[in-house]
Every structure is written in C-alpha cells, then in structure tokens.
Amino acid sequence: MLNINSTIAKLCSGLLITLLPATQPVKAQTALHQYVDPRIGSEGVGRVFIGPSYPFGMVKPSPDCTARPNSGWLPDPAPVTGFGQVHVSGTGGGPKYGNILIMPFTGSLIGIDHSSMRQDEKMALGYYSVMLKKHNIKTEITTAEKASFYKFTYPKNTAKALAIDAGFFLGEQPVPDSREAQQFVGSEIEVISDTEVRGYSRIRGGWNNGAAYTVYFDAVFDQPMQNLSTWKGAQLHPGVKQQFDSGQKTGVLIAFKKGSTDTVKVKIGISFVSEGKAQENIAQDIPHWSFEKTLSQLQSNWNGLLSRIEINKDATTEQKKMFYTGLYHTMLMPVNRTHENPLWNGDEPYYDDFYAIWDTFRSSNPLITLISPKRQTEIVNALLNIYKHDGYMPDARSGNYNGRTQGGSNADVLIADAYAKGLTGINYNVALDAMLKDATVPPGGIEEKEGRGGLPEYNKLGYVPYHIPRAGNRTTDYAYEDYCIAMVAKGLGKTAVYQRFIKQADNWRNLWRDDYTQHGAKGFIMPKDSAGHWLDDIPYGTSNNQHPTFKYTPLSHEYPWYVCHWCGFFYEATSWEYSLSIPHQVPALIEKSGGREAFKQRLDTLFDKKFYNVDNEPSFLTPCLYHWIGRPDLSTKRIRQIVTESFNTSSTGLPGNDDSGAMSSWLAFQMMGFYPNAGQSYYLLNSPMLKQVILHQENGKDFTIIAKNLSAGNMYIKSASLNGKDHNQSWIQHADIVNGGQLVFEMTDKPTNWGTQILPPNAN
C-alpha cells in the first residue's frame, strides 16, 4: 500500500468542530474568494487561466507570454508580449483566442513590439498585477463580465504610452493552415477621439479548426492622448487615425498628455457582434472609473457562488485552497455569450467555448448542477439553441463554431443528467429530438465537427469498425449515449424509442473480446473489422507498396508512433482504461470480467501496475467501481492515493489539462465525499476529506454532510445515517440532496461492512 498518510493528514487534520444546524444561512461577509489561488495548475500540464474572470464570463484578460500557450500565460523567463482580452482555461490541443492585445510602454512612438520581462507578479481571484521591467510599469487588471479594466502606473516624469494590437492572437504558426493553429483573417483600428479607440480582430482555425470569428473592441481612457501612430503590417503611420481592414495586421501607438498623474486607466469592452455593442458593454458593465469598485463587484459575485458550498471553518488552508479553487475552475467555462451571438438573434441562452463536453460531462456539469441548477438549465438550453439553428448540438464549440468531436455525442449525457435530476425549464421533447438527430442522422463528411462518426456502420453492425478513427471509444460512448436517449424517451412515454435504444445500450459488448486475457484480466474492448473479425495485428502507415503492421494489445498507445492523434482505436487512453468505462452497465461489466473477485483483481492490477491514468476523463469513475462489488472501502483507498499523489496547491498541482474545470471538479467531488455517475440520478458515497459540507441550494434547502471522528487514521465509514435513519447503502439519490437534510458518517480506522450489501443501481 502506498504511503498516503502525509497528504491525508493535511486534508483531514483539524479539531472537531461544533456542528451548525443545516438551516443556518451563509454569512454574506464570508470572503471565500481569498481561498481561490489562480496559480494552482497554471504550470506544467494544467494550463489553467490565471487572469480575472466573472463566473462563465465572456471577457478573460491576462498576460500573453508569446503566442505559444493555450491560456496565454507562461512562467518566467518567458516575456510578456502584452495583455489579451479573451482566453480559455485548461485546454489541450491548439490555442484559441488571445485577441486585442494592449501593452504599456514609455518613450517615443516607435516600434510595434514592446515585450518585457516581469517581476513581482501577483494573482488572486479577480485581480492580477505585475511590474514590467523594461520600462518599470506596474500593470493591474480586473474585469467585468464583458469589459476589462486596466490600471497602468508609469514611472514619474516619463512619457506614458500604450500599444493596442488588433492583429495579435495565440497559436500563430509559420505554416499556412497548419492544423489546430489559428490563422489571421483581418483586423481594423480606428481612433474615435482623444480618449477612445475601437476596432476588431478576425481570426479562424485553432483547436476546433473553426470558421472565422470576429472580436470587436472599444477602448476608453481616463485621460486624453497627445499624439498617435497607427500601423498596418510592419509600417507605422504617424498621425493617421484609421487603418481599415485590407488583410494586414493593424494597431495603434498612443502617447498620453503629460499631467499630474502617473496612472492611466483603460476600459476595454469586448463584443462578438459589433464595435457599438462593445461600447455599450462598457457602459453597462463599468459605468465609472473606480478600479476598486469593479474588483469588489467581481469578488462579491464569486463569493455568492462559492458560498453555495460551505465547508467546516477549521479546515486547513490547504483544504480550502484546493476545494474553492476547484469550484472556481469549474465555473470559468463554458462562456455566457447571450446577446453576443453574431449568427442569429434571440433572447434564448447562448453559451460558447464548450471545450469539450467529452471532458466536462462526467464531473464539471454535475457540479454546476449542484451549485446552480438555473445555470445548468441555461447551458442545456444553449445546446438546444445551437441545435435548432446549426442542426446539431456540439460536443465541442469555440468561436461560434461546432468542433471538434472527440468521441460520442456527449451533449446527450447532459440532457439525460438534467432530466434524471429534475431540472425544469427545458423542453425535453425538443431535447429528445436533438438526441435522436445525433443517433440517426450521419453528419455527412463533417464527423469531426459534429454528430456521430461511423454512424451508418454503428447502426448496421452494432459497433464502429476499426478502419474508422476512434472506433473503440466511439462504440463505448455511443452505447452509453443510447442508454441516455432510452432513459429520456422512457420518461416521455416514447416506448418505441426506448425499446430501440435500450437495446443499443448493449452495443459495447460487440467489441468485448471475451477470450482475451492480459495480466490476469479477462475480456477487453478490442478492434474488429467490418466483417466481424478480431484484429490482432493493426496496420500503420499509408504506403501503397508495403503494409507493415504492429501487434495490438490492451496497453497499446498508437499515437504518436503509428497513426495520427485522432486516428487510433482509442482516443487518449488504452483498452485497460476504456474497457472499464461502461457507466450504465457496471454489473454486466463485472460479469464479463469473471465475477466480483476477478473484477477486484482487475481493478487492483489497473492501479498497482499504474495502468490507470488520473488525467484521462474516461477513468474518472473507475476508482469508484469497487462500490459495485460491495467494497466502497477500496474505492476510498484508491481515491485518497490518487489525490495524495496527483493534486496539491502548487502551480503544478493538477495532474493533467484542467479541461474547462474537469480535473478540478473531480477533486471537489472527492473532497466532499460523493461522486456522480453522469446522466443518472445518483451519487456514489466515498469517505469525505472534509469534516462538514453544507450545500446551500437555490431552492432554499440545505443539505449537510458530516463526518464524525474524521482524521488521517479514521478514513473509513463505519456507519451512516440520512435524516436520522440508518443508511447502509453506498449511494444516495439526487432527490435526497434537493429535498434537503443531513447525511452523517461515523468514521473509523478500519474497513467495515458498511455499504457492502446494497449495491449501486444498474441500467433499467
């Protein structure tokens, strides 16, 4: 057994507290934002956004340290190129956005690049500051929902200047049309008055290979400029106030009048509709010049949401930082762009930057549902809004464009999850139509953008054959999404639809090779051709003369050695992982694996031999699978090992791409002591890492989880009670939480019989 005592001691330390009644209201003065550390997961593979943002906010200003990183920011010694207004958080693949760059400098209006090294960098929720060493300028940033706010403090008695670059963007590559790179389309800059500049940046491509999107801006200053010089391409044009769009990068250098103050304040409104709308967004969001007021409003907004989940006040600082930063990361994306959609009009919710639902459906969206079911209802309705106008719900979407689809049509799971948990305000008949479009209408050559790739073969054969990219995880994904369709159809009384898709929910079995064994495990999801033959040898390369092959095993990683990243049998995982990702039929999976004891040994092998990959979303549910063999104590053991080894409060404290909050939400659930099986109505109960959690719900009812005698040594559940009654099962229903009440665990230092008899639900 791994040594996990040190981190568990930190997570579970502290004196016993006097428990508060479940109905006690959240105290408004609780400044939970102070426990959010944007630096957690910012380095290494986490790639989280470090600048200020509203919850689900459209504008995300932060430093862009060259054009390379996904989130804009890189640690020293990378220079700061400038400060962009639109970013994403935690994403893999190619970058997106990084638009409308501004950069302060001093001296004459010469040169376009004013990159600088930095010092004294500070990050907090809603606030970023840094000293730019090149000209000794202090930069401070906060933001509203659709407009950012900068305060630049220049050295005394220097010529204050500012560059606004409408042509900069992240992910630029020297090769035209390079896959996943963004490409420049056009930009425009115009000086409206001595205190206002507006323009736009038009970019295409990026991770989702999207069509062109346009970011419009309006920038206003609290003091007038003295002179200016615009540029087009590499040529400066002193005194010229406008550079229209002719397919070249444009920008402006501004010199401010000398005066009594060394500080310049800048507000930048952003819009995806027009420059006028960007100007209106400033007027609506920041109608004043108080930096402090803007910051305070942002912090207050976050405090209201973070306070929805209250943890014991004597929790350690590390606990609070890990937990509340996890909640914070979960609510950065997708982005609310209601009334900012350039493609169609309407008052329906419109969200963008689903980056991607393949990552977020398992834990991020279920956590949003608990924090704010109204917000999750908006998100689901936004997916239906996109379906009604674009034809398909996205699995991923960015820059107002669907793509890329990584596996199945995972928006189906969000609808099933909303339906199972009773979210109101959603037209589930329209939602079922959208799900059926995914499952019955081939997208016709744009499978990477939307819909289901290999759908004709899947519906004919009951599986996706090997020659179609990602055949393995597409088959397992489609089978689960067919289950989700069946459940919604059943609830709506659509019997024929239910009967078809509940049968198709078994389709994962068609790629289950019963006779294949490895490391003592029996049965794996393995490749099969369209004629029904199992493939032991897989071709690689595209030579017309030679046809080399390699031996395919459940541990094979095809990329990067044999095929393109998107062309393998599985996406970002092995058969050891995906063969356990059957969330709707775990008892059948156990039977296929040889029964309970064989399944336990299989799980033990997965973890002990390190075949388990914590940073891969298909494995998020896997540590909880011990529940289905009556061993929730083993789930607890594995979860705590994972947290101990892979999560902390450092800048490298996330084990993989945060993926729009997926990794962070997984941690938050595990700290609270329960975990969703997305698309279904229940949560699996694990040993909490916090002594008390109170969910202050939008319906006004509190649900409290109490872990009595919790400590580093007492990590196992001895007994549980729900609303005063014995609760001997290792799961609860969503309705138990929504109705309010109290779940109390009695903790002990050894595994017990609790949760061993009444196993979690199975598909029905």
Side-chain angles (χ1 to χ4, degrees), residues 691-709:
K691 293 178 181 178
Q692 178 173 273
V693 174
I694 308 176
L695 302 178
H696 300 286
Q697 301 180 88
E698 281 183 343
N699 65 6
K701 298 179 181 179
D702 288 352
F703 185 78
T704 303
I705 302 172
I706 299 167
K708 292 184 176 180
N709 300 317

PDB file of all heavy atoms in Angstrom, residues 691-709:
ATOM      1  N   LYS A 691     -14.635  17.587   7.182  1.00  0.00           N
ATOM      2  CA  LYS A 691     -15.474  17.187   8.310  1.00  0.00           C
ATOM      3  C   LYS A 691     -16.928  17.598   8.135  1.00  0.00           C
ATOM      4  O   LYS A 691     -17.828  16.953   8.670  1.00  0.00           O
ATOM      5  CB  LYS A 691     -14.925  17.802   9.594  1.00  0.00           C
ATOM      6  CG  LYS A 691     -13.567  17.248   9.990  1.00  0.00           C
ATOM      7  CD  LYS A 691     -13.073  17.935  11.252  1.00  0.00           C
ATOM      8  CE  LYS A 691     -11.700  17.404  11.641  1.00  0.00           C
ATOM      9  NZ  LYS A 691     -11.174  18.096  12.836  1.00  0.00           N
ATOM     10  N   GLN A 692     -17.135  18.675   7.389  1.00  0.00           N
ATOM     11  CA  GLN A 692     -18.513  19.110   7.163  1.00  0.00           C
ATOM     12  C   GLN A 692     -18.611  19.844   5.842  1.00  0.00           C
ATOM     13  O   GLN A 692     -17.740  20.632   5.482  1.00  0.00           O
ATOM     14  CB  GLN A 692     -18.997  20.035   8.285  1.00  0.00           C
ATOM     15  CG  GLN A 692     -20.412  20.562   8.059  1.00  0.00           C
ATOM     16  CD  GLN A 692     -20.940  21.334   9.245  1.00  0.00           C
ATOM     17  OE1 GLN A 692     -21.505  20.756  10.167  1.00  0.00           O
ATOM     18  NE2 GLN A 692     -20.736  22.628   9.235  1.00  0.00           N
ATOM     19  N   VAL A 693     -19.685  19.551   5.129  1.00  0.00           N
ATOM     20  CA  VAL A 693     -20.009  20.236   3.884  1.00  0.00           C
ATOM     21  C   VAL A 693     -21.490  20.586   3.931  1.00  0.00           C
ATOM     22  O   VAL A 693     -22.322  19.726   4.232  1.00  0.00           O
ATOM     23  CB  VAL A 693     -19.726  19.352   2.651  1.00  0.00           C
ATOM     24  CG1 VAL A 693     -20.201  20.032   1.380  1.00  0.00           C
ATOM     25  CG2 VAL A 693     -18.249  19.003   2.558  1.00  0.00           C
ATOM     26  N   ILE A 694     -21.820  21.847   3.674  1.00  0.00           N
ATOM     27  CA  ILE A 694     -23.219  22.267   3.599  1.00  0.00           C
ATOM     28  C   ILE A 694     -23.492  22.805   2.202  1.00  0.00           C
ATOM     29  O   ILE A 694     -22.853  23.766   1.773  1.00  0.00           O
ATOM     30  CB  ILE A 694     -23.573  23.340   4.644  1.00  0.00           C
ATOM     31  CG1 ILE A 694     -23.162  22.903   6.049  1.00  0.00           C
ATOM     32  CG2 ILE A 694     -25.071  23.639   4.599  1.00  0.00           C
ATOM     33  CD1 ILE A 694     -23.403  23.971   7.110  1.00  0.00           C
ATOM     34  N   LEU A 695     -24.413  22.168   1.511  1.00  0.00           N
ATOM     35  CA  LEU A 695     -24.854  22.657   0.211  1.00  0.00           C
ATOM     36  C   LEU A 695     -26.033  23.598   0.427  1.00  0.00           C
ATOM     37  O   LEU A 695     -27.124  23.165   0.820  1.00  0.00           O
ATOM     38  CB  LEU A 695     -25.269  21.490  -0.691  1.00  0.00           C
ATOM     39  CG  LEU A 695     -24.211  20.415  -0.959  1.00  0.00           C
ATOM     40  CD1 LEU A 695     -24.799  19.311  -1.825  1.00  0.00           C
ATOM     41  CD2 LEU A 695     -23.001  21.009  -1.634  1.00  0.00           C
ATOM     42  N   HIS A 696     -25.810  24.884   0.186  1.00  0.00           N
ATOM     43  CA  HIS A 696     -26.875  25.882   0.281  1.00  0.00           C
ATOM     44  C   HIS A 696     -27.497  26.005  -1.109  1.00  0.00           C
ATOM     45  O   HIS A 696     -26.962  26.671  -1.991  1.00  0.00           O
ATOM     46  CB  HIS A 696     -26.315  27.222   0.742  1.00  0.00           C
ATOM     47  CG  HIS A 696     -25.660  27.180   2.080  1.00  0.00           C
ATOM     48  ND1 HIS A 696     -26.368  27.093   3.254  1.00  0.00           N
ATOM     49  CD2 HIS A 696     -24.343  27.215   2.441  1.00  0.00           C
ATOM     50  CE1 HIS A 696     -25.534  27.093   4.288  1.00  0.00           C
ATOM     51  NE2 HIS A 696     -24.299  27.155   3.810  1.00  0.00           N
ATOM     52  N   GLN A 697     -28.636  25.359  -1.294  1.00  0.00           N
ATOM     53  CA  GLN A 697     -29.186  25.196  -2.632  1.00  0.00           C
ATOM     54  C   GLN A 697     -30.053  26.379  -3.055  1.00  0.00           C
ATOM     55  O   GLN A 697     -30.571  27.130  -2.232  1.00  0.00           O
ATOM     56  CB  GLN A 697     -29.994  23.902  -2.684  1.00  0.00           C
ATOM     57  CG  GLN A 697     -29.156  22.668  -2.345  1.00  0.00           C
ATOM     58  CD  GLN A 697     -29.962  21.403  -2.396  1.00  0.00           C
ATOM     59  OE1 GLN A 697     -30.080  20.782  -3.442  1.00  0.00           O
ATOM     60  NE2 GLN A 697     -30.534  21.007  -1.262  1.00  0.00           N
ATOM     61  N   GLU A 698     -30.220  26.503  -4.362  1.00  0.00           N
ATOM     62  CA  GLU A 698     -31.039  27.590  -4.898  1.00  0.00           C
ATOM     63  C   GLU A 698     -32.489  27.494  -4.447  1.00  0.00           C
ATOM     64  O   GLU A 698     -33.188  28.509  -4.376  1.00  0.00           O
ATOM     65  CB  GLU A 698     -30.976  27.582  -6.433  1.00  0.00           C
ATOM     66  CG  GLU A 698     -29.715  28.200  -7.003  1.00  0.00           C
ATOM     67  CD  GLU A 698     -29.703  28.240  -8.522  1.00  0.00           C
ATOM     68  OE1 GLU A 698     -30.498  27.512  -9.162  1.00  0.00           O
ATOM     69  OE2 GLU A 698     -28.888  28.992  -9.076  1.00  0.00           O
ATOM     70  N   ASN A 699     -32.940  26.277  -4.121  1.00  0.00           N
ATOM     71  CA  ASN A 699     -34.323  26.124  -3.667  1.00  0.00           C
ATOM     72  C   ASN A 699     -34.508  26.494  -2.201  1.00  0.00           C
ATOM     73  O   ASN A 699     -35.600  26.366  -1.649  1.00  0.00           O
ATOM     74  CB  ASN A 699     -34.819  24.696  -3.917  1.00  0.00           C
ATOM     75  CG  ASN A 699     -34.067  23.649  -3.093  1.00  0.00           C
ATOM     76  OD1 ASN A 699     -33.240  23.975  -2.242  1.00  0.00           O
ATOM     77  ND2 ASN A 699     -34.348  22.374  -3.354  1.00  0.00           N
ATOM     78  N   GLY A 700     -33.429  26.938  -1.551  1.00  0.00           N
ATOM     79  CA  GLY A 700     -33.509  27.362  -0.155  1.00  0.00           C
ATOM     80  C   GLY A 700     -33.307  26.258   0.858  1.00  0.00           C
ATOM     81  O   GLY A 700     -33.279  26.528   2.070  1.00  0.00           O
ATOM     82  N   LYS A 701     -33.144  25.026   0.400  1.00  0.00           N
ATOM     83  CA  LYS A 701     -32.966  23.894   1.310  1.00  0.00           C
ATOM     84  C   LYS A 701     -31.495  23.515   1.395  1.00  0.00           C
ATOM     85  O   LYS A 701     -30.819  23.387   0.383  1.00  0.00           O
ATOM     86  CB  LYS A 701     -33.794  22.694   0.828  1.00  0.00           C
ATOM     87  CG  LYS A 701     -35.294  22.950   0.801  1.00  0.00           C
ATOM     88  CD  LYS A 701     -36.062  21.739   0.300  1.00  0.00           C
ATOM     89  CE  LYS A 701     -37.557  22.019   0.265  1.00  0.00           C
ATOM     90  NZ  LYS A 701     -38.336  20.853  -0.235  1.00  0.00           N
ATOM     91  N   ASP A 702     -31.022  23.320   2.612  1.00  0.00           N
ATOM     92  CA  ASP A 702     -29.636  22.930   2.834  1.00  0.00           C
ATOM     93  C   ASP A 702     -29.509  21.417   2.943  1.00  0.00           C
ATOM     94  O   ASP A 702     -30.380  20.738   3.507  1.00  0.00           O
ATOM     95  CB  ASP A 702     -29.101  23.556   4.123  1.00  0.00           C
ATOM     96  CG  ASP A 702     -28.878  25.052   3.992  1.00  0.00           C
ATOM     97  OD1 ASP A 702     -28.995  25.572   2.865  1.00  0.00           O
ATOM     98  OD2 ASP A 702     -28.589  25.698   5.019  1.00  0.00           O
ATOM     99  N   PHE A 703     -28.403  20.921   2.396  1.00  0.00           N
ATOM    100  CA  PHE A 703     -28.054  19.512   2.590  1.00  0.00           C
ATOM    101  C   PHE A 703     -26.667  19.471   3.212  1.00  0.00           C
ATOM    102  O   PHE A 703     -25.707  20.025   2.667  1.00  0.00           O
ATOM    103  CB  PHE A 703     -28.057  18.747   1.270  1.00  0.00           C
ATOM    104  CG  PHE A 703     -27.810  17.272   1.432  1.00  0.00           C
ATOM    105  CD1 PHE A 703     -28.824  16.434   1.852  1.00  0.00           C
ATOM    106  CD2 PHE A 703     -26.556  16.726   1.185  1.00  0.00           C
ATOM    107  CE1 PHE A 703     -28.603  15.071   2.012  1.00  0.00           C
ATOM    108  CE2 PHE A 703     -26.324  15.371   1.341  1.00  0.00           C
ATOM    109  CZ  PHE A 703     -27.357  14.531   1.763  1.00  0.00           C
ATOM    110  N   THR A 704     -26.570  18.821   4.367  1.00  0.00           N
ATOM    111  CA  THR A 704     -25.339  18.822   5.148  1.00  0.00           C
ATOM    112  C   THR A 704     -24.739  17.423   5.195  1.00  0.00           C
ATOM    113  O   THR A 704     -25.447  16.432   5.401  1.00  0.00           O
ATOM    114  CB  THR A 704     -25.604  19.306   6.586  1.00  0.00           C
ATOM    115  OG1 THR A 704     -26.190  20.603   6.536  1.00  0.00           O
ATOM    116  CG2 THR A 704     -24.305  19.367   7.379  1.00  0.00           C
ATOM    117  N   ILE A 705     -23.442  17.361   4.989  1.00  0.00           N
ATOM    118  CA  ILE A 705     -22.690  16.111   5.137  1.00  0.00           C
ATOM    119  C   ILE A 705     -21.722  16.282   6.300  1.00  0.00           C
ATOM    120  O   ILE A 705     -20.926  17.232   6.317  1.00  0.00           O
ATOM    121  CB  ILE A 705     -21.909  15.773   3.852  1.00  0.00           C
ATOM    122  CG1 ILE A 705     -22.858  15.659   2.657  1.00  0.00           C
ATOM    123  CG2 ILE A 705     -21.121  14.476   4.028  1.00  0.00           C
ATOM    124  CD1 ILE A 705     -22.151  15.529   1.333  1.00  0.00           C
ATOM    125  N   ILE A 706     -21.788  15.389   7.260  1.00  0.00           N
ATOM    126  CA  ILE A 706     -20.955  15.460   8.458  1.00  0.00           C
ATOM    127  C   ILE A 706     -20.160  14.163   8.582  1.00  0.00           C
ATOM    128  O   ILE A 706     -20.713  13.068   8.450  1.00  0.00           O
ATOM    129  CB  ILE A 706     -21.818  15.657   9.724  1.00  0.00           C
ATOM    130  CG1 ILE A 706     -22.597  16.970   9.631  1.00  0.00           C
ATOM    131  CG2 ILE A 706     -20.954  15.626  10.985  1.00  0.00           C
ATOM    132  CD1 ILE A 706     -23.696  17.091  10.669  1.00  0.00           C
ATOM    133  N   ALA A 707     -18.873  14.302   8.792  1.00  0.00           N
ATOM    134  CA  ALA A 707     -18.007  13.138   9.005  1.00  0.00           C
ATOM    135  C   ALA A 707     -17.490  13.185  10.437  1.00  0.00           C
ATOM    136  O   ALA A 707     -16.529  13.892  10.738  1.00  0.00           O
ATOM    137  CB  ALA A 707     -16.859  13.136   8.007  1.00  0.00           C
ATOM    138  N   LYS A 708     -18.118  12.428  11.322  1.00  0.00           N
ATOM    139  CA  LYS A 708     -17.731  12.414  12.732  1.00  0.00           C
ATOM    140  C   LYS A 708     -16.460  11.589  12.922  1.00  0.00           C
ATOM    141  O   LYS A 708     -16.310  10.527  12.339  1.00  0.00           O
ATOM    142  CB  LYS A 708     -18.859  11.838  13.597  1.00  0.00           C
ATOM    143  CG  LYS A 708     -20.099  12.720  13.665  1.00  0.00           C
ATOM    144  CD  LYS A 708     -21.130  12.112  14.613  1.00  0.00           C
ATOM    145  CE  LYS A 708     -22.332  13.023  14.767  1.00  0.00           C
ATOM    146  NZ  LYS A 708     -23.351  12.452  15.697  1.00  0.00           N
ATOM    147  N   ASN A 709     -15.567  12.115  13.737  1.00  0.00           N
ATOM    148  CA  ASN A 709     -14.305  11.445  14.066  1.00  0.00           C
ATOM    149  C   ASN A 709     -13.387  11.275  12.857  1.00  0.00           C
ATOM    150  O   ASN A 709     -12.535  10.381  12.838  1.00  0.00           O
ATOM    151  CB  ASN A 709     -14.558  10.067  14.715  1.00  0.00           C
ATOM    152  CG  ASN A 709     -15.360  10.174  15.994  1.00  0.00           C
ATOM    153  OD1 ASN A 709     -15.105  11.048  16.815  1.00  0.00           O
ATOM    154  ND2 ASN A 709     -16.348   9.304  16.151  1.00  0.00           N
TER     155      ASN A 709
END
